[in-house]
Amino acid sequence: MKKNISAMLAVLLSLILILTGCFNSTEQVQKKKDEGQEEMESSEDNGPKILRTNNSSEPGSLHPGTAQGSHDSWILEHTFEGLTTKSPDGKIIPGMAELPEVSEDGLTWTFHLRDGMKWSNGDPVTAEDFEYAWKYALNPNTASQYAYQLYYLEGGEEFNSVSSNKENRQIPEEVLKPYRDKVGVKALDEKTLEVKLAKPTPYFLDLTSHYTYYPINKKVQEQNSDWYKEADTFVSNGAFTLSEWKHKESVKLVKNESYYDKDKINLDEVLLYIIEDQNTAWQMYQSDEMDLIVNLPAEVTGMLIDKEDPEFHNASDLATYYYNLNTGVKPFGNVKVRRALSMAIDRQAIVDHVSQGGQIPAYGVIPPGMPDESGDFRENAEQLFEESVEKAKKLLEEGLAEEGLDKMPKFSFLYNTSETHKAIAEAIQEMWRKNLGIEEMVLENAEFQVKLDREQAGDFQISRGGWIGDYVDPMTFMDIWVTDGPYNDVNWGNKEYDKLIQTAKSTMDKGTRMDAMHQAEQILMDEMPIIPIYYYSKPHAYKHFISSIYAPINRYPQFKYADIKK
C-alpha cells in the first residue's frame, strides 16, 4: 500500500527547500542586467515592443530536422511553421497550407499551400521545401534523432534504415536515391504536396504541426548546410526570425516582416536569455529584467500559488517526469531492483513538498489529457503499480542476491542543471537511504544538451527524464520504448511490448488501438525500465502589462500573439 511520508523525511524535505531557495549568482544577474539595459530602455512607451524571457539551456540545434529538446523547440515553434499550426485554444488550423483532402482509405493526404507564403528572405515557400525537409530528416546521413516521427510516411522507415558497410561512413548517394524516391511525399507542383502514408494514422494531421515536419528552404540548405548555426544566415518562415545569437548567453528574435499573418504579431523583438539557474532567472524577473519566466524554482511556485499572485499562471501539460534506469548496467538489468527503487518512492510527498506546482503523482507513463476510446486514457486505467516499502525491501534483497551482491553498489544519478531537479533527486536519495539502506548514490549535474548526449551514448546509470507529447495521442509516449527505438535510452526491449505497439499502429479501430496501448503500458510498468514520478503542470509567470500568452497542452507557453501595454 502507499505509505505517508514520515516526520523525519518531512523535516529533511523542508531543509532541502530552504537550502535550494537561497538565491545566488549575483554577478550573473548584474552581467545580464548590464547586457539587457539597452533592450529595457527601448521597451518604454512608444518604442519597440520587446519581450524578455529565459531559455533554460543553449539550443542544441535550431534546424527542424535535427532539433530534439524543448530548449530547441520553443524557439523553433516561433520561428517556423508547418503545413498546419495550432490556435490558442489548441485546435489544428491551416498554417502554410489549407487543411488537406484525405482519401477514403486514409492513406493519401493532399495539401495545397496558401497564396503568399514566404521565407524571411523573401523566397516563396514551396511544396518542394516540405518534401526536401522531410527527406532531409529521414536521410540516415543526417543522423536525426527525431526521424522516426516521419516513419508514418510510406517508405520512410526503409529510407532512414539504410546503413553503410563501414562504421561512421557516409552512405553514397547512389545507394540512398532508390530509397529516397520511394518515400511517400512528393511536390506535384509548386503549391501541391501529396503525402502517402504506410498505414492509416488518425493523428497525422496533428503531426504536421510538429517541428520535425516544418519545411526548410531548399535553396538555402544546398548553398550553406550550416545556415541554422548563426543568426546572419538563418532563414525561417514563422512569425519571428533569428536576428542575434550570442552562444550560451542569449538569443534574439525579431518580427518576420514576410510572415503572412504579420499584422497580428504585436511584438517587435523577443530576447531569450540562456540561463540554467532557476534562481538567477527568478531574481531577474523580480528585478524587472524579464517579462515572462517559464522555469520557476519549485519553492517559488509554491509561494506564488499560496499567495494567489496575479502574475502567476498554471496550465495542464501533456508531459511525464520520470527516471531512466540503464538496464545495460549492473544491477539495473534486474527487474526486481528496478521495481524496488520505484516502490520505495513517496510521490505524493514529492509533489506536495518539493515540486510544489500542482503536479499529479504518476503511476503510469501516459499523462492525463489523452483521449481513449471513450473518456481519458489515464482515468480509464487502474494504478499500474504500488508504493510499498516492505515489498521494496524484499524485492531489492532478492534482486541483489540474483546479481551476486549483498548491497547496492555505488551509482550516479545524472540530471540537467536545475534546482528543482536537484531537490527532487535529493529527496528521493533520502527515501532510498531511509527505506532501502542505499548509501552510495552520487548526484551529477550537466547542461541539458550534454545530458541528452550522454543518455544516447548509454553513459549513465540513472538519469532524470521527461517527455512532452509531440501530438495528442498515447502513441507519442508508447513508441519511445520499442526495442532499439532512437529515444529508448534505457537499453530495454520486450517482444510482446513491440508487438502491441505495432498492433496499435496498424489499425484505425480506436478500441483495438487503445486496448493494445493499455496492455503495453502495463508491461512497461511491470518491467519498470523507467520510474514515473509525476505528471507535469506548466507553472509560469508574466508581468501584468503582458497579454495574450497561451499554453497549448503539449507546448511551452506561446508568445506568438503576445502584446505589451505599459
Side-chain angles (χ1 to χ4, degrees):
M1 293 177 64
K2 186 176 178 182
K3 292 186 175 290
N4 292 325
I5 186 170
S6 69
M8 183 180 297
L9 182 54
V11 171
L12 178 65
L13 287 169
S14 298
L15 289 173
I16 290 172
L17 297 179
I18 292 170
L19 291 172
T20 57
C22 295
F23 295 136
N24 52 23
S25 304
T26 302
E27 292 181 0
Q28 290 185 43
V29 174
Q30 186 60 48
K31 181 173 183 285
K32 299 299 180 185
K33 183 175 181 179
D34 293 341
E35 291 174 350
Q37 191 64 40
E38 181 180 344
E39 285 80 1
M40 290 171 61
E41 292 173 352
S42 65
S43 62
E44 295 295 327
D45 289 343
N46 303 319
K49 293 183 177 182
I50 301 173
L51 178 73
R52 299 158 301 163
T53 185
N54 66 312
N55 204 51
S56 59
S57 187
E58 168 77 0
S61 172
L62 292 183
H63 190 301
T66 52
Q68 57 178 318
S70 56
H71 59 321
D72 305 329
S73 63
W74 198 36
I75 296 174
L76 291 176
E77 286 161 3
H78 290 89
T79 54
F80 283 84
E81 187 167 287
L83 293 166
T84 62
T85 188
K86 290 194 174 182
S87 65
D89 62 1
K91 293 180 180 178
I92 301 170
I93 59 175
M96 291 289 106
E98 300 292 349
L99 295 182
E101 302 161 4
V102 185
S103 62
E104 287 188 12
D105 61 8
L107 295 176
T108 302
W109 299 56
T110 305
F111 294 87
H112 300 281
L113 269 62
R114 300 160 71 188
D115 293 335
M117 301 298 101
K118 292 183 179 180
W119 291 98
S120 56
N121 66 353
D123 290 346
V125 177
T126 68
E128 189 176 17
D129 290 330
F130 280 93
E131 177 186 353
Y132 181 82
W134 297 5
K135 290 180 176 179
Y136 174 88
L138 281 168
N139 189 326
N141 286 335
T142 302
S144 169
Q145 290 293 321
Y146 249 90
Y148 77 96
Q149 291 287 24
L150 293 152
Y151 284 5
Y152 300 98
L153 304 182
E154 184 179 77
E157 183 172 6
E158 291 79 1
F159 179 36
N160 187 241
S161 301
V162 177
S163 61
S164 171
N165 292 328
K166 295 184 179 180
E167 190 175 357
N168 299 323
R169 178 182 175 184
Q170 290 282 292
I171 303 168
E173 174 60 22
E174 58 267 24
V175 175
L176 293 174
K177 188 177 186 306
Y179 292 92
R180 182 190 290 111
D181 291 346
K182 293 179 182 178
V183 175
V185 56
K186 183 176 180 60
L188 301 182
D189 56 45
E190 193 170 272
K191 294 178 62 178
T192 307
L193 187 74
E194 181 183 75
V195 180
K196 292 189 175 181
L197 304 184
K199 299 169 185 174
T201 306
Y203 46 87
F204 183 72
L205 190 63
D206 198 329
L207 274 167
T208 60
S209 69
H210 183 261
Y211 60 84
T212 307
Y213 283 78
Y214 290 164
I216 55 176
N217 188 310
K218 178 183 178 182
K219 181 176 69 175
V220 169
Q221 176 73 37
E222 290 181 338
Q223 290 176 349
N224 176 16
S225 61
D226 292 331
W227 61 270
Y228 61 97
K229 295 181 179 180
E230 301 295 341
D232 59 359
T233 53
F234 196 83
V235 176
S236 62
N237 71 321
F240 299 89
T241 193
L242 186 67
S243 71
E244 183 179 85
W245 187 354
K246 296 180 180 178
H247 292 278
K248 298 194 174 182
E249 291 186 18
S250 63
V251 170
K252 183 186 289 187
L253 309 181
V254 297
K255 180 177 178 178
N256 179 7
E257 294 297 335
S258 296
Y259 185 58
Y260 67 92
D261 216 12
K262 67 177 182 178
D263 291 343
K264 294 181 181 179
I265 308 305
N266 302 300
L267 299 176
D268 297 295
E269 295 181 10
V270 179
L271 179 64
L272 300 101
Y273 292 115
I274 297 170
I275 300 174
E276 293 198 352
D277 184 85
Q278 292 172 305
N279 286 328
T280 300
W282 171 242
Q283 191 172 2
M284 292 179 70
Y285 180 84
Q286 284 187 301
S287 61
D288 294 329
E289 296 165 81
M290 283 190 193
D291 309 306
L292 165 68
I293 182 170
V294 295
N295 286 295
L296 293 162
E299 68 278 7
V300 170
T301 299
M303 175 190 71
L304 295 177
I305 290 175
D306 289 343
K307 65 184 287 191
E308 298 182 353
D309 193 301
E311 292 187 354
F312 175 77
H313 305 269
N314 209 346
S316 300
D317 204 354
L318 206 67
T320 303
Y321 190 106
Y322 56 88
Y323 281 3
N324 293 299
L325 304 177
N326 189 341
T327 64
V329 177
K330 189 175 181 177
F332 303 111
N334 189 292
V335 65
K336 292 181 179 178
V337 172
R338 299 196 300 267
R339 292 179 64 192
L341 293 174
S342 176
M343 295 173 74
I345 297 172
D346 187 338
R347 290 160 177 80
Q348 192 66 54
I350 296 296
V351 300
D352 287 347
H353 301 289
V354 187
S355 57
Q356 302 184 81
Q359 297 89 353
I360 301 171
Y363 299 96
V365 71
I366 304 299
M370 294 287 194
D372 205 339
E373 182 180 11
S374 61
D376 184 271
F377 188 95
R378 180 76 281 129
E379 292 178 1
N380 289 345
E382 297 180 1
Q383 183 171 312
L384 301 184
F385 61 90
E386 64 177 327
E387 293 173 1
S388 169
V389 172
E390 292 306 313
K391 291 181 180 180
K393 286 178 179 178
K394 185 174 184 296
L395 280 173
L396 183 62
E397 182 179 353
E398 292 175 358
L400 291 177
E402 290 172 3
E403 298 299 314
L405 300 169
D406 57 4
K407 69 173 185 177
M408 194 72 176
K410 182 177 181 179
F411 64 92
S412 64
F413 170 79
L414 177 66
Y415 66 97
N416 53 294
T417 305
S418 159
E419 288 301 317
T420 300
H421 299 332
K422 180 182 179 183
I424 292 170
E426 288 174 337
I428 291 177
Q429 180 183 41
E430 175 59 18
M431 291 175 184
W432 286 345
R433 185 199 67 76
K434 178 180 179 294
N435 296 334
L436 299 177
I438 295 173
E439 300 286 351
E440 297 187 279
M441 171 178 164
V442 179
L443 304 187
E444 182 182 6
N445 77 290
E447 292 181 2
F448 189 33
Q449 189 61 47
V450 172
K451 183 191 84 81
L452 292 177
D453 293 341
R454 285 185 56 181
E455 286 171 333
Q456 288 164 11
D459 181 21
F460 74 98
Q461 292 168 296
I462 299 182
S463 72
R464 184 209 75 85
W467 193 264
I468 302 173
D470 295 316
Y471 47 93
V472 187
D473 187 275
M475 187 58 73
T476 189
F477 285 84
M478 298 310 299
D479 66 359
I480 298 171
W481 294 284
V482 296
T483 303
D484 297 326
Y487 280 98
N488 185 351
D489 299 326
V490 295
N491 197 31
W492 175 80
N494 180 289
K495 291 182 179 179
E496 183 61 24
Y497 183 90
D498 295 345
K499 182 179 177 181
L500 288 164
I501 298 305
Q502 189 59 37
T503 295
K505 285 187 171 184
S506 301
T507 178
M508 288 289 283
D509 184 84
K510 197 168 186 178
T512 301
R513 291 186 68 247
M514 295 302 163
D515 182 62
M517 285 190 282
H518 277 295
Q519 292 181 57
E521 187 184 28
Q522 185 65 70
I523 290 172
L524 187 67
M525 294 296 91
D526 288 343
E527 293 282 320
M528 203 62 72
I530 63 164
I531 299 177
I533 308 297
Y534 60 68
Y535 305 121
Y536 279 90
S537 59
K538 205 176 316 184
H540 55 287
Y542 51 86
K543 300 296 185 181
H544 66 277
F545 51 80
I546 306 293
S547 62
S548 301
I549 300 290
Y550 60 99
I553 192 170
N554 61 337
R555 294 185 179 178
Y556 268 25
Q558 303 287 293
F559 50 77
K560 179 178 179 180
Y561 298 116
D563 201 0
I564 297 176
K565 294 181 180 179
K566 293 187 178 180

